[in-house]
Amino acid sequence: MNYPKEISRIKNTFDWNKHPDAFKERWYDYIDNEFKYREEGLFFYNNGKPTYITGTHYMYLQWSKIDVGAPDFRESNRLFFIFWEACKADPRCYGMCYLKNRRSGFSFMSSAELVNIATISSDSRFGILSKSGADAKKMFTDKVVPISVNYPYWKVYDGFNLKRFR
């Protein structure tokens, strides 16, 4: 899905509030659907086959910018995100052991998860664990920051609440 140019220029709540009510009304459904996809995930047709992706996977595919541009849909990534949601939902689970190949996209997927969770949480802190502080810093500057700056302003927790603005 393409990000509509009309609202891509809006960078903060102040920009949003400068627009007339008719403009805002036109985009409420779009923004509501984006939050719904983020919360519930999305079914779509992949080569004619109905396919489900989680909300975190949707955010990764739709809003993340990685080293090669937009991430590609990969079935292995879809399975990873589904399993990750199961781990998060199970109170008996303390994490996941994940055997991966190099260049599988794991660093970007985990960075996208960090950005997704951090931008819907208030009064929370999120960290990066790596083999060294320099590696953690590199992951932050090379992966987390580019993903977070690509999010539209209304995806970031800044108190944006459509009901408040209607």
Side-chain angles (χ1 to χ4, degrees), residues 148-159:
S148 66
V149 299
N150 204 51
Y151 270 30
Y153 97 92
W154 41 268
K155 284 284 191 183
V156 177
Y157 184 88
D158 68 349

Side-chain angles (χ1 to χ4, degrees), residues 56-120:
T56 302
H57 194 188
Y58 173 79
M59 292 299 292
Y60 171 68
L61 292 172
Q62 180 67 16
W63 297 108
S64 296
K65 187 176 281 186
I66 64 173
D67 58 351
V68 295
D72 292 329
F73 174 82
R74 297 177 183 173
E75 179 64 13
S76 59
N77 292 358
R78 186 181 83 83
L79 297 173
F80 167 83
F81 279 108
I82 289 171
F83 183 75
W84 180 238
E85 288 300 319
C87 290
K88 292 190 308 188
D90 187 346
R92 301 167 300 167
C93 181
Y94 290 100
M96 161 191 343
C97 289
Y98 184 65
L99 183 62
K100 65 175 199 62
N101 298 332
R102 291 188 52 72
R103 303 292 303 159
S104 65
F106 179 77
S107 295
F108 281 107
M109 291 188 303
S110 58
S111 296
E113 167 72 355
L114 184 133
V115 172
N116 184 43
I117 297 298
T119 56
I120 58 174

Side-chain angles (χ1 to χ4, degrees), residues 2 16 29 33 53 60-61 63 65 96 120 141 144 152:
N2 293 328
W16 175 261
D29 288 341
N33 281 330
I53 58 174
Y60 171 68
L61 292 172
W63 297 108
K65 187 176 281 186
M96 161 191 343
I120 58 174
T141 56
V144 172

